[in-house]
């Protein structure tokens, strides 16, 4: 049999929910129909995408690899359908956190002035590639090393690192801090889209206490609530000032690269214009 878009949508619903029951509810189908559609997809591809037992469902390695490809196909199809319904073809710019930092407003306003026929939609997506690998956006502002296959990156600038602290923390009064100053503190680590790991510290001087969070909002809440301190870049300080938060320069950590990433191959025709403007604004 031939594979249809409904097979991709069914598989993605299962991949997102890790449940045939919840996938069926999302798709407004019966559970047998979802199971049958998944089986048809696996039989046609001749590969097992999902491992199921009575109480457990998980994607196989092939399923994990296929998920991004299926998401790209569905996103491209949905995007093509909307093309004729909009006055312009929007350019979707993703970011995992802090966008273009203090330059965000300038970037958006300059784009609107210079390319009024193409809306620029800025989307925060809590994902290491800000939705780019899955086809949710056309380009993305990303920080740190980007090693996702099929992506092309253009370096725009670098950003110094800073320490995020509760405003009433004794360290917040210092003009600058070092990694050693944080060794006895609990560190908030964004394991979904962040770039800070314990590898930032020397192996023999790493903090022993961490908490794991999944996005910038939770990172700020953990710090302002006094549960932890964190390491980020000056972009976060510019985008997320908070009366209960202090940002102090971190002197002995390397700066962070900021890149504009896009998928290899054909893409939105205005991406070169976005790259040029981002260089002009952020360099």
């Amino acid at each position: 049999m031939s594979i249809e878009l409904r097979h991709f949508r069914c598989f993605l619903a299962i991949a997102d929910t890790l449940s045939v029951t919840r996938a069926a509810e999302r798709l407004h189908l019966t559970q047998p129909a979802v199971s049958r559609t998944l089986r048809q997809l696996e039989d046609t591809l001749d590969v097992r995408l999902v491992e199921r037992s009575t109480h457990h469902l998980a994607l196989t390695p092939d399923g994990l690899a296929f998920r991004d490809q299926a998401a790209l196909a569905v996103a491209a199809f949905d995007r093509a359908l909307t093309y004729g319904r909009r006055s312009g073809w929007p350019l979707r710019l993703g970011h995992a956190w802090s966008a273009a930092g203090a330059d965000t407003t300038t970037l958006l306003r300059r784009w609107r002035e210079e390319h009024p026929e193409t809306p620029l939609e800025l989307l925060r997506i809590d994902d290491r590639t800000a939705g780019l690998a899955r086809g949710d956006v056309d380009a993305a502002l990303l920080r740190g090393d980007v090693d996702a296959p099929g992506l092309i990156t253009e370096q725009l600038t670098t950003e110094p690192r800073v320490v995020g602290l509760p405003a009433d923390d004794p360290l917040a009064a210092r003009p600058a801090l070092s990694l050693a100053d944080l060794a006895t503190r609990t560190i908030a680590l964004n394991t979904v889209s962040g770039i800070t790991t314990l590898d930032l510290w020397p192996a023999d001087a790493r903090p022993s206490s961490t908490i794991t969070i999944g996005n910038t909002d939770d990172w700020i809440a953990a710090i302002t609530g006094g549960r932890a301190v964190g390491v980020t870049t000056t972009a976060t300080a510019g985008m997320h000032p908070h009366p209960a938060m202090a940002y102090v320069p971190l002197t002995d950590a390397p700066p962070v690269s900021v890149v504009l990433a896009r998928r290899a191959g054909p893409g939105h025709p205005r991406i070169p214009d976005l790259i040029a403007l981002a260089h002009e604004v952020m360099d």
Side-chain angles (χ1 to χ4, degrees):
M1 61 162 287
S2 60
I3 295 177
E4 302 174 5
L5 192 66
R6 63 186 178 89
H7 293 95
F8 284 17
R9 292 195 191 279
C10 180
F11 168 71
L12 289 174
I14 294 172
D16 287 345
T17 63
L18 294 180
S19 166
V20 171
T21 301
R22 291 194 293 272
E25 293 172 351
R26 175 183 295 188
L27 298 170
H28 304 292
L29 297 172
T30 65
Q31 293 182 43
V34 170
S35 297
R36 184 167 57 252
T37 303
L38 173 63
R39 185 167 60 252
Q40 291 170 347
L41 178 62
E42 290 180 324
D43 289 346
T44 304
L45 295 175
D46 194 25
V47 66
R48 178 64 62 85
L49 301 173
V50 175
E51 290 287 356
R52 277 191 288 173
S53 64
T54 305
H55 303 292
H56 178 73
L57 185 150
L59 299 184
T60 65
D62 286 324
L64 289 169
F66 182 71
R67 178 180 59 187
D68 286 346
Q69 298 302 315
L72 282 172
V74 171
F77 179 85
D78 291 343
R79 185 68 178 274
L81 287 182
T82 63
Y83 177 73
R85 305 173 193 165
R86 305 286 292 269
S87 58
W89 181 1
L91 176 56
R92 301 165 302 170
L93 177 61
H95 69 104
W97 48 276
S98 297
D103 295 320
T104 301
T105 298
T106 301
L107 179 66
L108 295 177
R109 290 187 175 182
R110 285 279 305 277
W111 181 270
R112 186 176 180 181
E113 292 169 0
E114 299 177 20
H115 304 281
E117 76 289 350
T118 303
L120 180 61
E121 299 178 353
L122 184 65
L123 305 171
R124 192 188 102 179
I125 299 177
D126 294 318
D127 175 288
R128 184 66 190 93
T129 67
L132 185 60
R134 291 172 60 92
D136 295 331
V137 296
D138 302 296
L141 288 165
L142 304 175
R143 288 172 172 81
D145 295 331
V146 179
D147 55 7
L151 300 187
I152 299 172
T153 60
E154 178 95 8
Q155 180 159 326
L156 300 174
T157 187
T158 60
E159 295 170 346
R161 298 189 198 238
V162 297
V163 181
L165 300 150
D168 58 356
D169 189 292
L171 294 180
R174 297 206 192 166
L177 294 170
S178 68
L179 290 169
D181 292 323
L182 308 178
T184 61
R185 297 300 192 93
T186 297
I187 309 298
L189 300 178
N190 179 349
T191 58
V192 175
S193 59
I195 56 169
T196 300
T197 70
L198 291 182
D199 290 336
L200 187 63
W201 281 261
D204 59 350
R206 289 174 180 166
S208 59
S209 177
T210 64
I211 60 172
T212 299
I213 49 87
N215 56 59
T216 300
D217 294 337
D218 292 347
W219 184 86
I220 291 173
I223 294 171
T224 57
R227 298 176 58 210
V229 301
V231 176
T232 183
T233 76
T234 50
T236 304
M239 284 289 286
H240 300 283
H242 193 290
M245 172 86 84
Y247 295 98
V248 180
L250 184 61
T251 58
D252 57 348
V256 175
S257 295
V258 182
V259 303
L260 196 150
R262 64 191 188 278
R263 290 186 299 276
H268 196 291
R270 289 297 187 186
I271 288 179
D273 297 321
L274 178 61
I275 293 173
L277 182 59
H279 271 298
E280 185 176 338
V281 170
M282 298 178 67
D283 274 353

